[in-house]
Amino acid sequence: MAWLVLVASGVLEAVWATALSASNGFKKVVPTIVFVAGMALSMVGLAFVMTAIPVGTAYAVWVGIGASLTVVVAILRRQEAASLARVALVLGLVACVVGLKVVS
């Protein structure tokens, strides 16, 4: 259960990071609301998970999921260029997250 909540919280991190960018410095209402809600839910999930998974592992997985999904979303929205190096590095990040699950 804790790992499912951790993955969901990592996805929500990507949601709030993307919404933060879309909020244009909190000038747009809907993205700002999505940012606040996504961040709150992501943090609540992370806090819950840290009662069952060690803090270092939980935080690394949370950040890894959020960061890699944020990059993927930015590439798909054509806000960032997709290069072989960028894709390889994101895949490496995902491999590290999977590795942490395997050894935990």
Side-chain angles (χ1 to χ4, degrees):
M1 177 65 161
W3 281 96
L4 288 173
V5 173
L6 182 56
V7 170
S9 294
V11 171
L12 285 169
E13 185 193 4
V15 168
W16 70 251
T18 302
L20 178 60
S21 175
S23 76
N24 194 25
F26 303 116
K27 293 176 185 147
K28 294 183 179 178
V29 175
V30 173
T32 299
I33 292 169
V34 171
F35 161 73
V36 170
M39 185 177 219
L41 289 171
S42 181
M43 293 293 170
V44 167
L46 181 61
F48 168 77
V49 163
M50 286 182 175
T51 64
I53 298 172
V55 64
T57 301
Y59 185 71
V61 170
W62 180 75
V63 168
I65 291 170
S68 53
L69 285 177
T70 301
V71 170
V72 169
V73 168
I75 289 171
L76 292 174
R77 295 177 78 190
R78 300 186 189 266
Q79 295 170 325
E80 293 185 25
S83 66
L84 183 58
R86 184 180 298 259
V87 171
L89 289 166
V90 169
L91 288 174
L93 185 57
V94 171
C96 289
V97 167
V98 171
L100 283 171
K101 168 58 176 141
V102 170
V103 299
S104 293

